[in-house]
């Protein structure tokens, strides 16, 4: 079974802090994704990566950056955390060939105070 | 604009009945459509995928249909159980490339009462 592991289930940080969210997958997937999920807004794509050191902006990249130095690891960085970034953050991975599902981690519930 | 819609109202049914959830889309010609289950505080879990040339797909008590003329997919759970209570998400793959970005619906909350 594919396993996608996110480093923290719950995280509390302060406004202005630099925040790192880590995600690791164990299936050698080419593609990795970071989403945030808010009530009434559904899953919104922040960034995705289709190869090591490659990244593309999703729908809501402002205030975020990402890093993919190794194939199995995809990091989301909040450069200067703000209260409107309080959310559930979900990481996913998938193989690049067609008809493959996305595999999700259990999410990080991030609170910015 | 490109859009994907699911029943916004929560669906509550009696145990043993069939639950039917709807996913409608506009302005896409998706290669395939996926259904996921999400429990509170957890990530979505993949359930079923149906391709554009398939009318119906089954897996145990689950059935998905895909009507590209109506631009609609229906997701059925037969002989529903309280353990089926969750939010169900549909997602389209509209892209010809290999990055596998999906377009997500907001999900429908299903409650199955004992």
């Amino acid at each position: 079974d594919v396993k996608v592991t996110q480093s923290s289930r719950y995280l509390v940080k302060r406004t202005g802090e630099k925040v790192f969210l880590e995600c690791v997958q164990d299936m050698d997937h080419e593609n990795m994704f970071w989403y945030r999920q808010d009530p009434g807004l559904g899953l919104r794509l922040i960034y995705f990566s289709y190869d090591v050191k490659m990244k593309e902006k999703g729908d809501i990249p402002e205030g975020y950056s990402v890093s993919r130095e190794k194939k199995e690891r995809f990091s989301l960085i909040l450069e200067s955390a703000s209260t409107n970034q309080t959310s559930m953050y979900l990481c996913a991975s998938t193989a690049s060939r067609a008809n493959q599902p996305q595999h999700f981690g259990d999410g990080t519930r991030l609170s910015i105070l | 604009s490109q859009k994907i819609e699911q029943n916004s109202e929560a669906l509550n049914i009696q145990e043993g009945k069939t639950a039917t959830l709807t996913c409608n889309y506009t302005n896409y010609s998706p290669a395939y459509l996926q259904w996921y289950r999400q429990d509170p505080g957890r990530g979505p879990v993949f359930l079923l995928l149906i391709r554009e040339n398939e009318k119906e797909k089954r897996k145990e008590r689950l059935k998905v249909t895909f009507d590209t003329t109506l631009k609609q997919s229906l997701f059925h759970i037969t002989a529903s159980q309280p353990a089926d209570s969750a939010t169900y998400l549909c997602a389209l793959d509209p892209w010809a490339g290999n990055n596998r970005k999906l377009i997500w619906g907001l999900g429908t909350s299903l409650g199955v009462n004992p």
Side-chain angles (χ1 to χ4, degrees):
Chain A
D1 268 0
V2 175
K3 189 154 180 68
V4 178
T5 303
Q6 294 186 229
S7 52
S8 306
R9 289 297 309 277
Y10 301 94
L11 205 53
V12 180
K13 296 290 183 181
R14 299 215 170 267
T15 304
E17 280 192 71
K18 191 168 185 176
V19 181
F20 293 86
L21 302 183
E22 306 286 343
C23 175
V24 177
Q25 51 96 1
D26 66 357
M27 279 301 291
D28 202 37
H29 284 165
E30 293 81 8
N31 301 321
M32 296 187 75
F33 307 82
W34 274 107
Y35 295 91
R36 64 177 283 178
Q37 187 174 34
D38 302 285
L41 297 178
L43 282 166
R44 292 184 291 167
L45 183 64
I46 304 171
Y47 268 97
F48 70 99
S49 168
Y50 51 90
D51 202 350
V52 174
K53 297 192 186 295
M54 305 303 288
K55 61 185 179 185
E56 284 197 24
K57 293 179 181 178
D59 301 316
I60 51 163
E62 296 78 18
Y64 302 94
S65 62
V66 290
S67 171
R68 192 156 180 212
E69 296 296 319
K70 293 185 177 181
K71 192 174 184 180
E72 67 272 19
R73 187 179 297 270
F74 192 34
S75 302
L76 179 70
I77 303 147
L78 285 66
E79 298 291 344
S80 177
S82 63
T83 54
N84 63 12
Q85 292 178 310
T86 291
S87 186
M88 169 71 104
Y89 288 87
L90 289 159
C91 174
S93 74
T94 188
S96 61
R97 58 190 183 279
N99 301 335
Q100 298 301 305
Q102 292 195 3
H103 299 270
F104 284 83
D106 272 339
T108 296
R109 175 75 65 184
L110 176 64
S111 296
I112 308 295
L113 304 179
Chain B
S1 64
Q2 300 171 329
K3 208 160 63 165
I4 178 170
E5 286 185 346
Q6 297 185 247
N7 319 56
S8 56
E9 298 289 325
L11 179 64
N12 289 291
I13 63 170
Q14 207 61 34
E15 183 176 6
K17 300 292 187 185
T18 296
T20 299
L21 284 62
T22 304
C23 178
N24 295 300
Y25 59 93
T26 57
N27 298 335
Y28 290 115
S29 294
Y32 57 89
L33 187 146
Q34 302 179 11
W35 284 89
Y36 291 75
R37 169 186 174 136
Q38 187 174 24
D39 292 290
R42 310 304 291 260
V45 174
F46 171 74
L47 295 174
L48 278 171
L49 176 151
I50 187 165
R51 296 177 178 78
E52 60 180 332
N53 60 352
E54 295 176 321
K55 297 290 186 194
E56 182 179 297
K57 198 82 167 278
R58 290 177 186 261
K59 179 182 176 183
E60 298 172 354
R61 293 184 296 110
L62 308 180
K63 185 178 85 171
V64 172
T65 63
F66 194 8
D67 188 326
T68 55
T69 302
L70 291 179
K71 293 187 180 294
Q72 181 181 79
S73 175
L74 299 179
F75 178 81
H76 307 272
I77 306 175
T78 58
S80 60
Q81 303 166 1
D84 295 327
S85 299
T87 296
Y88 292 86
L89 304 169
C90 70
L92 298 177
D93 180 350
W95 308 103
N98 67 355
N99 55 40
R100 306 272 73 87
K101 276 182 12 175
L102 297 178
I103 307 298
W104 294 87
L106 295 183
T108 298
S109 175
L110 172 67
V112 181
N113 303 312

